[in-house]
Amino acid sequence: MELTRQGIEKDRQGFLDAGYALPEFDYEKVLKKTTEEPTWLHFGTGNIFRAFQANVVQKLLNSGELDRGIIAAGGSNPEIIEKVYRPHDNLSVLVTLKADGVIEKTVIGSIVESVIPNSSYEKDYGRMKEIFRAPSLQMISFTITEKGYSLKAGDGSVLPAVQQDMEQGFVHPVSYMGIITAMLYERYQNGAYPLACVSMDNCSHNGDVLKRSIVTIAEAWVEKGMADAGFLDYLKDASKVSFPCSMIDKITPRPDARVEEILGKDGIDGLEQIVTSKGTYASVFVNAEECEYLVVEDLFPNGRPALEKGGVIFTDRETVDKTEKMKVCTCLNPLHTALAVYGCLLDYDLISKEMENPVLRRMAERIGYQEGMPVVVNPGILSPEEFLGEVINRRIPNPFMPDTPQRIATDTSQKLSIRFGETVKCYLASDTLKVEDLKMIPLVFAGWVRYLMAVDDNGNAFKLSPDPLLETVCPCVEGLELGKLEGAEEKLRPILENAAIFGVNLYEAGLADQVLAYFKELAAGPGAVAATLKKYVM
């Protein structure tokens, strides 16, 4: 079966007989309406977008609640649009893997157009300008990962592409944030219509992060006389351009070979995965868990689609902030990071398998219930205890979810400060909690430093997951070997005192000695990781 518009028209019954839920709306009518009066442009064409936002819109199109689909703009790499989206008419297959073993297959058709946000693609770039000029456009949203908003490299220097955009202006921008800022300037110059810019990425205060990057570039243009001073007023006026914060939660691992095999047996053509030049894995199908949460600050100056009818929660910023902290600092992300680090050291290939190890499961429970929960503020819309219980008992142990420690270990240096450092800060500021009572969080810090040695618990070398700070932190463990740790204190000091990594200077927080002690035990020799975990966790 061919996953294209024509293919579905020719063999609709074949898809249905194979168990696929198909789009039920009038595609041509929705396409025409979306093309002429777009309301939603989304940047980032990865798994979570197709598995979550696009699926919500499809349900609302099917029910008649919405009459326009989504336009997808690629990330920093055009290959996914060119090799995955367009050959299949922007269709994809969502495979929902439930904890009870039930598999649901849905053809997602709500993405009715795709564009490449790159000024060297003249036709696509022109179409993007048309979309941004449209008075009907209500929101642009993003799932481009936290790195996508960055203007600086790991060493603090301005990225070359960003520097070029700041110096040369908005005509031919090359950086991702430069392109977004140029598009907003296009809208400003052609009516200054209101718009919501909604980051849906898994990073703290994501709306503020997005706004800061855009305003920084705009300020450079205004300062150099390349853009009107009124552009800054436009960007800073929330009644014109808003930057709502959001919290998103759905696990969407890279395409799994077992899922590909299932779809292949159904007769779906073109399932071959691609690996882009930037190392991203992509396919026409997405495998994802059933659970999903999207909480968004309700700040939309030009109106918005009725996404609450599809399960999206709209609320105030304070509630979004509490929900985000609940998830990112306590109930999910810290557990994932801890399991990722130790999963790499103990040679696990699936996060779910780690939860079969009573020591690792107990570590996750202690991080969440004992050390994190005392500082969580209940957001009111979601129960922290119920959320954490679902994570520990259903979501992470789901044996059908092909998520790996190696994937989750990506960019760990960028995650520790939020996922653990915020809890440490709360303990330091508390009149009743004592930072010395933290045992599991320092064990995770020590585990990450041990991970940087790139040697597993059997003494075998392994490849570290991508991380922008590897070139900075890995030299600190050079010369250290299992059982040979002379000078470890001096070598590791630059890491442990780096507040940008941990959220606090571990020496000033009173945790450095404990982290060093744990590290020495973890690196005492082969088998030391498992032995140390058992000693301190159980």
Side-chain angles (χ1 to χ4, degrees):
M1 295 185 292
E2 182 181 281
L3 190 67
T4 61
R5 298 287 174 194
Q6 185 178 36
I8 291 177
E9 288 178 9
K10 290 172 61 176
D11 195 10
R12 185 176 183 86
Q13 193 58 48
F15 278 93
L16 293 173
D17 291 343
Y20 290 80
L22 298 177
E24 299 170 4
F25 56 89
D26 186 329
Y27 174 77
E28 293 300 330
K29 185 176 179 180
V30 169
L31 173 62
K32 184 176 186 297
K33 186 74 169 176
T34 305
T35 302
E36 294 175 351
E37 298 178 88
T39 56
W40 186 356
L41 173 65
H42 182 85
F43 289 87
T45 49
N47 293 342
I48 195 167
F49 165 60
R50 290 184 287 163
F52 196 167
Q53 292 93 333
N55 190 34
V56 168
V57 171
Q58 172 140 312
K59 291 176 182 177
L60 295 177
L61 286 170
N62 287 344
S63 66
E65 295 289 348
L66 296 183
D67 61 0
R68 276 160 281 195
I70 309 178
I71 301 172
S76 59
N77 191 331
E79 292 176 72
I80 295 179
I81 291 287
E82 293 176 318
K83 298 180 180 179
V84 176
Y85 273 58
R86 289 177 176 171
H88 297 278
D89 298 333
N90 301 313
L91 296 170
S92 61
V93 175
L94 166 60
V95 182
T96 303
L97 306 168
K98 298 187 176 183
D100 61 3
V102 172
I103 295 176
E104 292 182 349
K105 299 173 291 188
T106 306
V107 174
I108 300 296
S110 60
I111 304 168
V112 298
E113 184 180 358
S114 56
V115 293
I116 296 172
N118 188 314
S119 59
S120 64
Y121 287 75
E122 186 174 343
K123 183 178 179 180
D124 287 79
Y125 203 66
R127 173 58 180 152
M128 272 222 315
K129 288 183 177 181
E130 288 180 1
I131 295 168
F132 269 85
R133 288 194 294 264
S136 60
L137 187 65
Q138 297 176 324
M139 63 184 288
I140 59 173
S141 56
F142 301 82
T143 51
I144 56 176
T145 77
E146 189 167 3
K147 290 185 294 185
Y149 306 99
S150 180
L151 304 184
K152 295 182 178 181
D155 61 3
S157 62
V158 177
L159 293 167
V162 174
Q163 187 66 46
Q164 179 178 327
D165 286 346
M166 287 181 169
E167 294 174 355
Q168 298 184 9
F170 58 85
V171 178
H172 294 292
V174 291
S175 71
Y176 206 84
M177 286 294 102
I179 291 168
I180 302 300
T181 309
M183 289 296 104
L184 289 170
Y185 193 56
E186 183 76 17
R187 189 170 181 84
Y188 165 75
Q189 289 182 305
N190 291 272
Y193 299 113
L195 184 68
C197 303
V198 191
S199 171
M200 297 179 177
D201 270 300
N202 188 21
C203 59
S204 182
H205 300 108
N206 46 22
D208 296 336
V209 172
L210 172 60
K211 180 178 181 179
R212 186 163 52 247
S213 294
I214 289 173
V215 168
T216 297
I217 294 172
E219 286 175 338
W221 293 349
V222 170
E223 183 180 343
K224 291 179 172 59
M226 294 183 290
D228 296 343
F231 182 43
L232 280 176
D233 296 329
Y234 174 67
L235 293 176
K236 294 179 180 181
D237 182 354
S239 69
K240 286 290 187 179
V241 180
S242 67
F243 295 87
C245 285
S246 70
M247 185 283 284
I248 191 166
D249 181 23
K250 188 176 182 71
I251 301 173
T252 55
R254 79 185 195 191
D256 185 70
R258 293 173 297 175
V259 176
E260 182 179 335
E261 183 179 356
I262 292 171
L263 302 185
K265 289 179 179 178
D266 290 339
I268 301 291
D269 296 330
L271 296 172
E272 297 79 10
Q273 296 185 42
I274 68 163
V275 182
T276 70
S277 58
K278 295 191 176 183
T280 301
Y281 290 79
S283 175
V284 71
F285 71 89
V286 179
N287 35 239
E289 68 169 339
E290 178 182 12
C291 295
E292 58 187 26
Y293 300 92
L294 179 56
V295 183
V296 185
E297 180 184 3
D298 201 354
L299 190 62
F300 291 78
N302 202 29
R304 60 170 175 77
L307 301 180
E308 68 274 13
K309 295 180 180 180
V312 177
I313 299 172
F314 291 95
T315 184
D316 55 66
R317 173 169 285 220
E318 182 181 1
T319 303
V320 173
D321 187 49
K322 290 177 181 178
T323 308
E324 183 231 336
K325 287 182 177 178
M326 178 197 75
K327 170 193 174 256
V328 175
C329 303
T330 302
C331 294
L332 175 62
N333 297 65
L335 282 58
H336 254 164
T337 293
L339 291 168
V341 168
Y342 280 107
C344 291
L345 289 170
L346 296 172
D347 297 320
Y348 281 93
D349 60 355
L350 288 174
I351 287 287
S352 59
K353 289 183 181 179
E354 291 188 68
M355 294 299 278
E356 298 172 7
N357 182 325
V359 177
L360 295 177
R361 182 185 180 91
R362 179 61 178 154
M363 177 184 68
E365 291 172 342
R366 289 187 62 183
I367 290 170
Y369 286 113
Q370 291 185 8
E371 300 191 352
M373 196 61 69
V375 301
V376 168
V377 177
N378 192 326
I381 58 173
L382 296 172
S383 163
E385 291 80 9
E386 292 179 6
F387 188 96
L388 179 58
E390 184 179 52
V391 166
I392 289 177
N393 297 313
R394 291 186 59 233
R395 298 179 65 187
I396 297 179
N398 184 345
F400 304 100
M401 279 298 294
D403 215 356
T404 68
Q406 293 73 26
R407 183 189 78 86
I408 298 175
T410 299
D411 301 334
T412 299
S413 72
Q414 309 297 292
K415 302 171 180 176
L416 294 171
S417 64
I418 298 298
R419 300 186 179 189
F420 300 99
E422 292 303 307
T423 297
V424 174
K425 290 177 184 177
C426 288
Y427 272 71
L428 289 170
S430 174
D431 293 330
T432 58
L433 299 172
K434 298 179 180 179
V435 73
E436 57 265 28
D437 290 336
L438 294 173
K439 303 301 179 184
M440 295 299 98
I441 290 177
L443 189 60
V444 176
F445 290 164
W448 178 65
V449 178
R450 168 67 180 81
Y451 160 89
L452 294 176
M453 296 175 68
V455 176
D456 66 21
D457 202 28
N458 294 315
N460 299 318
F462 67 88
K463 184 179 180 180
L464 297 175
S465 299
D467 190 308
L469 283 190
L470 289 184
E471 293 183 2
T472 300
V473 295
C474 285
C476 297
V477 299
E478 285 182 2
L480 299 180
E481 300 178 18
L482 297 186
K484 299 178 181 179
L485 304 173
E486 293 81 4
E489 293 89 342
E490 182 179 351
K491 286 178 174 291
L492 298 181
R493 176 173 281 275
I495 297 179
L496 303 185
E497 66 183 7
N498 191 332
I501 293 177
F502 299 106
V504 294
N505 180 321
L506 295 184
Y507 289 94
E508 295 176 356
L511 292 175
D513 289 344
Q514 187 172 27
V515 173
L516 279 168
Y518 281 151
F519 169 77
K520 289 180 180 179
E521 291 193 53
L522 291 167
V529 172
T532 303
L533 284 173
K534 185 175 181 180
K535 177 181 177 180
Y536 291 107
V537 172
M538 301 303 285

